[in-house]
Amino acid sequence: MKKVVVWMALSLCSVMTIFAGETAYLFSYFINGSKDGLHLAYSYDGLNWMPLNGGRSYLTPSVGKDKLMRDPSICQAPDGTFHMVWTSSWTDRIIGYASSRDLIHWSEQQAIPVMMHEPTAHNCWAPELFYDEPSQTYYIFWATTIPGRHKEIPTSESEKGLNHRIYYVTTKDFRTFSKTKMFFNPDFSVIDAAIVKDPKVGDLIMIVKNENSNPPEKNLRVTRTKKIEKGFPTKVSAPITGKYWAEGPAPLFVGDTLYVYFDKYRDHRYGAVRSLDHGETWEDVSDQVSFPRGIRHGTAFAVDASVVEALKENSWFNDKDLTRTGVYYYPEHWNESQWERDFKKMHDLGFEFTHFAEFAWAQLEPEEGRYDFTWLDRAVALAAKYDLKVIMCTSTATPPVWMSRKYPEILLKNEDGTVLDHGARQHASFASPLYRELSYKMIEKLAQHYGNDPRVIGWQLDNEPAVQFDYNPKAELAFRDFLRSKYNNDIQLLNNAWGTAFWSEAYSSFDEITLPKRAQMFMNHHQILDYRRFAATQTNDFLNEQCLLIKKYAKNQWVTTNYIPNYDEGHIGGSPALDFQSYTRYMVYGDNEGIGRRGYRVGNPLRIAWANDFFRPIQGTYGVMELQPGQVNWGSINPQPLPGAVRLWLWSVFAGGSDFICTYRYRQPLYGTEQYHYGIVGTDGVTVTPGGKEYETFIKEIRELRKHYAPREAKPADYLARRTAILFNPENSWSIERQKQNRTWDTFAHIEKYYRTLKSFGAPVDFISEAKNLSDYPVVIAPAYQLADKELVDKWTAYVKNGGNLVLTCRTAQKDRYGRLPEAPFGSMITPLTGNEMNFYDLLLPEDPGTVVMNGKEYAWNTWGEILNPPTDAQVWATYTNEFYEGSPAVTFRKLGKGTITYVGVDSHNGVLEKDILKKLYVQLNIPVMDLPYGVTMEYRNGFGIVLNYSDRPYTFDLPKGSKVLIGTPEIPTAGVLVFSI
């Protein structure tokens, strides 16, 4: 585990000696939908901006209708306090406020009711802060539309009714505020105003956005004044930005140079203009600035360089540490006289943190309301004695027996009526309000006790939390409430969404709805789709509420959980309060998915890589909380891993960009369900197991590698050029699996054909949600993306027209978000994008497959094939050969705007067709790719290349020119690793 807690006082003391008096710059911003909160970037020259905190949020929003944190504006007071305001909702009449001394620890969030006196006000958008030194007063100003209040202006249809003006309040203490007044009232719709003081001339320069939409202006202009209390002239300058659409101006003086940063939001990138004459003339310098990926509207401001250095030091994970390694320990399982021996041995093996109280609720709260942390205090103290930090857990996976006996209503009920009972784990219902209440009481006591303990670096919530298909009566009541909220208490909306006219399924009241019987043949699949959404929400809410409770008390401690990478459950990434996501991964348990005769001892070559590429993009940081140390107890067959395999898995996790790796567990248990589960040491408590020795080797190698580290994003240009996203939504799988139409169809096998190809290209891959910015990726693939709507198709179209390269595959956009077929030609939702019409689709018997041909090469298929009618501006890349529709197109390619759209209407047997299609596409796009054999993968991070060999034969890697081998050799044996510097 990287050094998470570096005390602010020590950091400031050490860096102020070096940096006091020097100037640095910070940029506050949001990403995606802004629900994860405040992000910060830093710069020393105003041109190159780097993300802080690993790109993670510093503060999660908790006020407002939508709990957003858009447009965060920060101003530093003379006493050093940072004050921040932000947009909390699309339709709020309030703005959010919080303060901080260090930009890490924030005050309780407040809602400032700036427009509550105006009942018809539409919004409060883009608030900005400015401190007026002469009057020692803070000005807060923002944009609001009040219908009928101002002279109407022509608007586009999409912005009908929006006519903004800038309003303001003043305050000296952020407790009392002046009455709201008009601040800036020009003859155009104005939004996104920001003020900067000219350090030499003394003028106040305000940059505003002309928001007129018909004809579109969408540009930035300048006005200036000597004194803010006199107001700003409404006669503004000519546009200082170009014909692109600009928003969110952030002015900043860097020396005598005035920069204005802004969002080129139609181009999905950030830009800048600058003035060398105090705002009289401007030049576009967008090609000279660089910003963190996904950055959106915020504020740029100058600070003492010591502030930036302290923020860099106080990040939970530091690049110089590369990764940290830890191990689970259960002090309640062992005689206390052995604890110190065990912690000393952990330290000697090189472990840097341990993990407590995962399954200890009965020990933490032996009777309802009586808590005992004394034993845990002693364990924490002993761990600290041997330089082991602690991850604390919430124990909610194992409620104590007194709870199950006193409150049996908290127990989970299966669809078949079986009520789970005490004696195992994870037998309580997340939908039970009583269970949640009892959980939160225990968690709050634990957080109060350890939340300010520097020996505790972070928290794990629950254990491997999954989506529960729970038929507890409370779950049924909660499901009805979920539906009432989703369908606005209108039962007819639900009937329409679920298609209940079919088979006489109509409801007249939400109280008539029960939990769907998933095992019942022909159960309404629209209802099941909503039920799965509800079930995932129950897990997400339970985790989110635990996290927010801990954060009331936790200081410099992160909060995560350890998901099993069951991607189709739909809950991973759904708890926005978590600081980052972690996962659990086991590789050898009898599934025989490896390569060659002994592949079952090494495991699936893509299992860890897929998890890395799925978890990392959610918040930019991830860790692995459980990685297999050797044999396990729960598989169908539990073989010994191949010698070297455990080390291979560790390096695989590291290669994907993890910040920590932890293993379950230190000691092999002597009793209980998992007696046959290996640990780092064996049953005698002292003998290091083969897997334990491989952990020791890995830890030593990482410590040696730390001497050569570079920043995390130090990666070759050709590697970054092939960066590709796979768009993923588990709801597509939910919908398809209920109506597969072909028993041989497998949604994840379909996705894997594209993913496997990308890994053979040596491409960095991100699995992303629709909330992500597609323009961050040269290529985006959306495989079998069945559920869609106009908004998504418009987003795809804009991505392509602006230069993106989109690959869509069969079964895409055939249904709406409710799982219904549109009343239109089948598959026509994407016709304006692909240009294709679908004549029909076909499904073949696996015993008698069809073929398609591309460039003279034939490929077998049977699961799904769409017979396409492409437009004249499209190229036909592949056609069907041996059915009654022989010669009909199966794969098309089309240029659209600045980009391309490839449509793959068929699913091949073995993925060779998919690989050849992507090869052809990347050649056409001049994107350089590798040709790694299946089982060999390569990634870059921190200035290192890491090559991993899961195959059953040695592989010789061609080292890039100028690189230096640090670990291993270019000839990599099975289960071997090569690490080289670039």
Side-chain angles (χ1 to χ4, degrees):
M1 179 63 65
K2 295 186 184 261
K3 188 175 291 184
V4 174
V5 181
V6 182
W7 289 108
M8 197 71 185
L10 292 175
S11 296
L12 285 173
C13 180
S14 62
V15 299
M16 286 185 73
T17 305
I18 302 172
F19 295 98
E22 297 182 16
T23 300
Y25 307 97
L26 289 172
F27 203 110
S28 58
Y29 64 98
F30 71 95
I31 62 173
N32 301 323
S34 81
K35 288 197 172 183
D36 75 329
L38 170 67
H39 293 253
L40 295 174
Y42 72 95
S43 176
Y44 294 111
D45 60 6
L47 295 173
N48 300 293
W49 295 87
M50 296 293 293
L52 286 161
N53 203 28
R56 298 178 300 273
S57 164
Y58 280 93
L59 180 66
T60 302
S62 62
V63 298
K65 289 180 183 177
D66 301 323
K67 293 183 172 55
L68 305 180
M69 193 169 278
R70 301 178 70 86
D71 323 313
S73 175
I74 296 178
C75 173
Q76 189 175 21
D79 68 356
T81 301
F82 294 95
H83 298 280
M84 178 172 67
V85 294
W86 65 88
T87 303
S88 61
S89 169
W90 290 104
T91 57
D92 263 348
R93 288 180 288 147
I94 61 102
I95 59 176
Y97 166 77
S99 64
S100 173
R101 293 291 299 177
D102 57 12
L103 297 168
I104 299 171
H105 307 99
W106 289 86
S107 67
E108 183 177 357
Q109 296 175 40
Q110 301 174 35
I112 306 176
V114 292
M115 296 301 284
M116 292 303 291
H117 62 289
E118 291 281 3
T120 62
H122 274 353
N123 50 16
C124 294
W125 286 356
E128 292 281 340
L129 266 175
F130 181 78
Y131 180 70
D132 182 53
E133 294 178 31
S135 64
Q136 299 181 354
T137 301
Y138 297 93
Y139 282 72
I140 307 172
F141 49 100
W142 66 93
T144 290
T145 283
I146 304 176
R149 185 65 55 89
H150 306 290
K151 178 183 176 182
E152 290 301 319
I153 58 169
T155 62
S156 63
E157 190 62 31
S158 64
E159 298 184 20
K160 193 170 184 178
L162 296 180
N163 188 10
H164 295 93
R165 295 299 184 273
I166 305 296
Y167 294 82
Y168 81 106
V169 296
T170 61
T171 183
K172 291 182 179 290
D173 56 12
F174 292 91
R175 290 191 293 272
T176 60
F177 301 87
S178 67
K179 289 184 177 181
T180 299
K181 296 180 181 179
M182 178 65 67
F183 188 65
F184 189 64
N185 187 15
D187 60 358
F188 55 87
S189 180
V190 60
I191 195 172
D192 297 347
I195 299 172
V196 66
K197 184 175 182 178
D198 189 318
K200 287 201 171 180
V201 179
D203 286 0
L204 300 182
I205 300 171
M206 185 163 74
I207 314 296
V208 298
K209 177 187 178 185
N210 184 329
E211 181 69 352
N212 283 4
S213 59
N214 190 16
E217 291 283 346
K218 308 292 187 179
N219 49 47
L220 303 183
R221 299 168 183 252
V222 179
T223 179
R224 65 180 71 216
T225 188
K226 294 288 185 183
K227 295 183 178 180
I228 194 169
E229 65 269 22
K230 300 278 190 184
F232 285 84
T234 55
K235 185 176 180 181
V236 298
S237 71
I240 65 171
T241 51
K243 294 188 180 298
Y244 46 80
W245 289 14
E247 72 175 13
L252 176 71
F253 270 97
V254 179
D256 292 335
T257 301
L258 174 56
Y259 289 94
V260 177
Y261 312 102
F262 53 88
D263 190 350
K264 291 185 173 183
Y265 62 100
R266 296 189 83 186
D267 294 342
H268 302 288
R269 57 171 296 208
Y270 238 68
V273 293
R274 79 177 169 201
S275 173
L276 304 178
D277 54 11
H278 304 275
E280 296 298 327
T281 60
W282 298 85
E283 62 175 327
D284 193 301
V285 291
S286 298
D287 59 346
Q288 299 179 37
V289 295
S290 62
F291 288 93
R293 285 202 317 266
I295 186 172
R296 301 294 306 279
H297 184 177
T299 305
F301 54 104
V303 293
D304 190 277
S306 63
V307 174
V308 169
E309 293 305 309
L311 286 168
K312 289 165 69 176
E313 284 296 314
N314 274 275
S315 295
W316 291 321
F317 308 110
N318 296 320
D319 277 351
K320 66 183 180 182
D321 295 320
L322 299 180
T323 196
R324 293 280 182 167
T325 312
V327 60
Y328 282 40
Y329 191 71
Y330 298 88
E332 68 273 20
H333 293 183
W334 309 105
N335 189 298
E336 189 167 344
S337 65
Q338 298 175 347
W339 293 0
E340 184 162 6
R341 177 201 68 187
D342 292 345
F343 292 135
K344 182 179 185 302
K345 184 70 170 179
M346 285 182 209
H347 172 78
D348 292 346
L349 289 169
F351 289 103
E352 295 156 302
F353 66 92
T354 186
H355 175 282
F356 289 164
E358 185 178 45
F359 301 129
W361 195 340
Q363 289 82 10
L364 297 171
E365 189 180 5
E367 299 173 4
E368 184 176 3
R370 182 171 71 83
Y371 301 95
D372 180 10
F373 303 148
T374 56
W375 63 275
L376 194 53
D377 288 342
R378 295 193 296 273
V380 170
L382 275 176
K385 179 178 178 180
Y386 292 97
D387 297 323
L388 296 166
K389 296 293 187 180
V390 173
I391 297 174
M392 195 63 70
C393 304
T394 61
S395 288
T396 49
T398 53
V401 68
W402 60 257
M403 186 185 302
S404 299
R405 299 297 173 256
K406 186 175 180 181
Y407 306 111
E409 63 268 33
I410 63 103
L411 296 172
L412 190 148
K413 183 179 181 181
N414 288 336
E415 182 176 337
D416 64 5
T418 302
V419 177
L420 303 190
D421 198 7
H422 187 80
R425 70 181 190 184
Q426 294 166 324
H427 48 278
S429 167
F430 294 165
S432 166
L434 178 57
Y435 171 63
R436 290 197 186 195
E437 178 186 345
L438 294 166
S439 297
Y440 300 155
K441 285 180 179 178
M442 180 271 293
I443 292 167
E444 184 160 31
K445 291 292 184 183
L446 201 62
Q448 287 172 342
H449 194 79
Y450 292 109
N452 200 26
D453 190 328
R455 300 168 298 183
V456 175
I457 52 174
W459 295 75
Q460 175 191 302
L461 307 180
D462 202 80
N463 171 66
E464 298 175 348
V467 171
Q468 298 179 339
F469 297 112
D470 176 21
Y471 289 75
N472 182 305
K474 297 296 185 184
E476 189 158 273
L477 293 175
F479 182 48
R480 290 171 183 164
D481 288 342
F482 171 85
L483 296 173
R484 287 187 182 97
S485 176
K486 178 170 183 175
Y487 294 104
N488 298 318
N489 269 317
D490 187 337
I491 195 66
Q492 192 52 48
L493 287 178
L494 179 143
N495 281 317
N496 293 341
W498 287 6
T500 58
F502 192 79
W503 282 353
S504 187
E505 298 170 11
Y507 296 97
S508 59
S509 166
F510 286 94
D511 292 331
E512 295 174 343
I513 297 171
T514 57
L515 296 169
K517 303 299 186 287
R518 296 184 305 135
Q520 182 175 332
M521 184 176 289
F522 303 133
M523 176 59 68
N524 185 313
H525 66 274
H526 309 285
Q527 180 179 1
I528 290 175
L529 191 61
D530 268 347
Y531 175 55
R532 295 201 64 164
R533 291 166 174 149
F534 159 77
T537 299
Q538 290 294 296
T539 300
N540 289 334
D541 288 351
F542 184 49
L543 297 174
N544 219 53
E545 289 163 8
Q546 287 191 48
C547 184
L548 292 173
L549 188 58
I550 289 169
K551 287 186 174 184
K552 286 173 59 178
Y553 306 98
K555 308 297 182 187
N556 284 334
Q557 296 170 344
W558 44 257
V559 185
T560 188
T561 190
N562 63 327
Y563 295 105
I564 296 175
N566 293 330
Y567 309 112
D568 64 331
E569 289 192 14
H571 61 314
I572 298 170
S575 299
L578 295 183
D579 292 307
F580 54 86
Q581 318 291 313
S582 302
Y583 71 80
T584 289
R585 193 38 109 200
Y586 290 84
M587 294 292 290
V588 169
Y589 49 85
D591 66 354
N592 200 25
E593 290 184 5
I595 297 172
R597 180 171 173 268
R598 296 290 184 238
Y600 67 89
R601 296 191 186 277
V602 181
N604 185 317
L606 299 180
R607 184 177 286 136
I608 289 176
W610 191 316
N612 292 340
D613 293 342
F614 191 94
F615 280 76
R616 181 188 58 250
I618 296 172
Q619 286 162 295
T621 296
Y622 76 98
V624 173
M625 200 66 80
E626 293 184 39
L627 187 65
Q628 185 172 353
Q631 277 179 303
V632 297
N633 64 288
W634 45 264
S636 57
I637 299 172
N638 297 303
Q640 282 281 348
L642 191 74
V646 171
R647 173 175 169 267
L648 173 68
W649 304 334
L650 284 158
W651 277 109
S652 299
V653 172
F654 174 79
S658 72
D659 281 296
F660 68 85
I661 309 171
C662 192
T663 186
Y664 175 87
R665 47 187 286 162
Y666 179 68
R667 293 184 64 173
Q668 182 171 344
L670 304 181
Y671 50 81
T673 298
E674 296 184 313
Q675 286 172 288
Y676 286 91
H677 196 298
Y678 256 42
I680 295 298
V681 298
T683 53
D684 63 1
V686 294
T687 302
V688 179
T689 61
K693 292 177 181 177
E694 293 188 29
Y695 268 83
E696 184 179 21
T697 298
F698 171 77
I699 292 168
K700 289 178 179 177
E701 290 172 333
I702 286 292
R703 287 185 170 172
E704 182 62 28
L705 217 58
R706 287 171 182 166
K707 301 174 184 177
H708 307 278
Y709 89 96
R712 176 71 60 93
E713 295 304 316
K715 301 172 182 178
D718 60 345
Y719 176 74
L720 294 174
R722 49 185 180 258
R723 187 165 179 257
T724 304
I726 296 178
L727 195 64
F728 178 80
N729 183 339
E731 295 183 4
N732 294 308
S733 172
W734 300 349
S735 177
I736 289 174
E737 293 304 309
R738 294 298 299 189
Q739 294 185 323
K740 292 170 68 168
Q741 306 306 298
N742 189 327
R743 57 182 164 81
T744 62
W745 173 271
D746 184 326
T747 301
F748 280 88
H750 178 76
I751 296 171
E752 194 211 6
K753 290 166 186 171
Y754 293 91
Y755 180 65
R756 181 189 291 201
T757 293
L758 295 172
K759 300 313 281 189
S760 76
F761 287 178
V765 180
D766 286 350
F767 285 86
I768 64 170
S769 72
E770 294 170 25
K772 296 290 187 180
N773 187 357
L774 302 184
S775 64
D776 288 340
Y777 302 90
V779 179
V780 174
I781 303 174
Y785 214 88
Q786 185 170 80
L787 305 184
D789 53 25
K790 184 179 184 301
E791 182 181 359
L792 177 59
V793 175
D794 287 349
K795 182 173 183 175
W796 286 343
T797 304
Y799 166 70
V800 172
K801 287 184 174 179
N802 286 315
N805 301 286
L806 181 65
V807 179
L808 300 179
T809 80
C810 58
R811 306 192 77 151
T812 289
Q814 293 176 356
K815 295 184 178 184
D816 67 16
R817 301 292 191 176
Y818 302 104
R820 304 173 304 191
L821 296 173
E823 193 171 355
F826 190 84
S828 62
M829 201 184 305
I830 53 174
T831 295
L833 173 59
T834 66
N836 296 325
E837 295 176 353
M838 189 191 307
N839 292 329
F840 53 87
Y841 61 90
D842 199 12
L843 316 165
L844 306 180
L845 298 176
E847 303 83 24
D848 187 19
T851 56
V852 296
V853 63
M854 184 174 76
N855 296 336
K857 184 176 178 180
E858 291 191 341
Y859 310 84
W861 73 278
N862 79 282
T863 50
W864 191 279
E866 294 168 5
I867 288 72
L868 306 175
N869 182 20
T872 56
D873 64 348
Q875 300 173 24
V876 175
W877 278 12
T879 58
Y880 297 97
T881 60
N882 60 346
E883 295 295 332
F884 63 87
Y885 39 83
E886 183 169 355
S888 295
V891 180
T892 63
F893 172 85
R894 183 191 191 198
K895 293 181 179 180
L896 187 64
K898 300 176 182 177
T900 68
I901 170 70
T902 305
Y903 190 79
V904 185
V906 65
D907 177 53
S908 81
H909 265 189
N910 55 15
V912 176
L913 171 65
E914 287 80 357
K915 183 171 185 177
D916 287 349
I917 289 169
L918 291 185
K919 276 185 179 178
K920 184 172 182 175
L921 174 65
Y922 281 60
V923 167
Q924 192 142 330
L925 299 176
N926 293 314
I927 297 175
V929 299
M930 303 179 72
D931 189 16
L932 299 170
Y934 180 57
V936 176
T937 59
M938 188 204 69
E939 305 287 358
Y940 286 95
R941 63 168 288 180
N942 295 98
F944 305 120
I946 303 107
V947 188
L948 310 154
N949 187 5
Y950 281 80
S951 74
D952 60 347
R953 62 195 64 191
Y955 176 75
T956 301
F957 181 76
D958 187 13
L959 283 167
K961 186 177 180 180
S963 60
K964 177 183 178 183
V965 173
L966 300 174
I967 293 171
T969 65
E971 184 169 325
I972 311 166
T974 297
V977 177
L978 167 67
V979 181
F980 59 90
S981 63
I982 58 174

